Amino acid sequence: MGLYSELNELWRSRPEELKVLLRERRILWRREPSVVRVERPLRLDRARGIGYKAKQGFVVLRVRVRRGGFSKPRPNSGRRPKAIGAVLHKVNVTMAEEAINRARKKYPNLHPIGCYPLTYDSLYKWFEVILVDPYHPAIRSDPEIQLPDPLRRRVERRLMREKSH
C-alpha cells in the first residue's frame, strides 16, 4: 500500500488520535476568519489527487462554511437587511461550491482547481480549497498542470498584450 492510500485510509477510519487532534484544531479554527490561507494542505492525499504540487503558484485556503438549512427565522428586532442573516445557503449550491466561491471572492486573481472537506462541528463545516495562480511562470511552464482552455487563452492573450506595450 502506498503513502497516499495509507493517508486516505487513516482519514476514513478516523482513529482516536485524529479525532482528538481535529477537536483541538476546531476550537482554534472557530476564532479565525472564515477564509484563512494555510502553509500546506492537511489532507495531502486529497490535495495531490486534485492536482496540488508543493511549488510556487499554488495556494491552499481553509474555508469555513456555516451548516444548516436554507433559511433561519427572521429576527424580531429591527436591523438593516444585510445583517438579518436569514439566507444561509442557496438552494442549488453545495457547501463545497460555496467554499470555492468564498475563496474566489477573497483571491480574485487565483483559479480554484478543487476542494475537499476537512471536518465539521455543530455550527460550521471546514473545507480546504486549492487555488493556482495562472500567471505564475512556474505554473505556466509546467505541462502537467491542466488549466481550462479559456483561462489559458486569456492568460496568454494578456501576457502578449503586456509584451507589446
Side-chain angles (χ1 to χ4, degrees):
M1 220 192 232
L3 173 68
Y4 294 129
S5 56
E6 285 283 342
L7 282 172
N8 193 3
E9 184 60 38
L10 188 73
W11 274 91
R12 285 179 184 276
S13 62
R14 297 267 174 161
E16 196 58 40
E17 297 89 12
L18 183 62
K19 287 181 183 175
V20 169
L21 183 69
L22 286 174
R23 190 177 303 127
E24 291 169 0
R25 288 187 178 181
R26 280 193 302 261
I27 292 168
L28 298 174
W29 292 350
R30 280 186 213 121
R31 294 176 177 85
E32 291 180 346
S34 60
V35 179
V36 178
R37 184 173 177 171
V38 293
E39 193 75 22
R40 58 182 64 89
L42 196 61
R43 295 189 64 178
L44 188 60
D45 57 324
R46 291 296 300 269
R48 293 278 301 183
I50 288 172
Y52 168 80
K53 291 184 174 183
K55 64 191 292 184
Q56 289 182 325
F58 280 93
V59 175
V60 182
L61 301 178
R62 184 174 54 244
V63 181
R64 186 182 71 207
V65 179
R66 180 137 174 224
R67 293 180 68 199
F70 295 123
S71 63
K72 66 177 188 178
R74 292 177 66 91
N76 294 330
S77 55
R79 42 175 74 57
R80 63 190 182 131
K82 183 180 175 183
I84 285 177
V87 176
L88 294 179
H89 310 294
K90 303 292 184 281
V91 177
N92 56 350
V93 177
T94 64
M95 283 191 181
E97 289 171 358
E98 201 169 307
I100 289 174
N101 290 339
R102 289 183 188 186
R104 290 175 79 172
K105 188 176 180 182
K106 179 108 176 182
Y107 293 89
N109 61 323
L110 302 179
H111 177 73
I113 57 172
C115 86
Y116 48 88
L118 284 179
T119 184
Y120 62 92
D121 64 4
S122 60
L123 195 58
Y124 300 112
K125 204 169 200 176
W126 284 272
F127 292 89
E128 262 184 358
V129 181
I130 311 293
L131 300 123
V132 65
D133 183 2
Y135 293 95
H136 198 283
I139 301 300
R140 288 199 347 262
S141 63
D142 192 344
E144 291 181 15
I145 299 169
Q146 298 293 320
L147 295 174
D149 204 41
L151 174 67
R152 189 178 46 76
R153 284 199 306 261
R154 188 167 65 234
V155 168
E156 289 169 1
R157 205 169 32 239
R158 182 174 168 188
L159 292 173
M160 291 298 280
R161 216 174 334 159
E162 288 175 0
K163 272 187 186 174
S164 65
H165 286 303

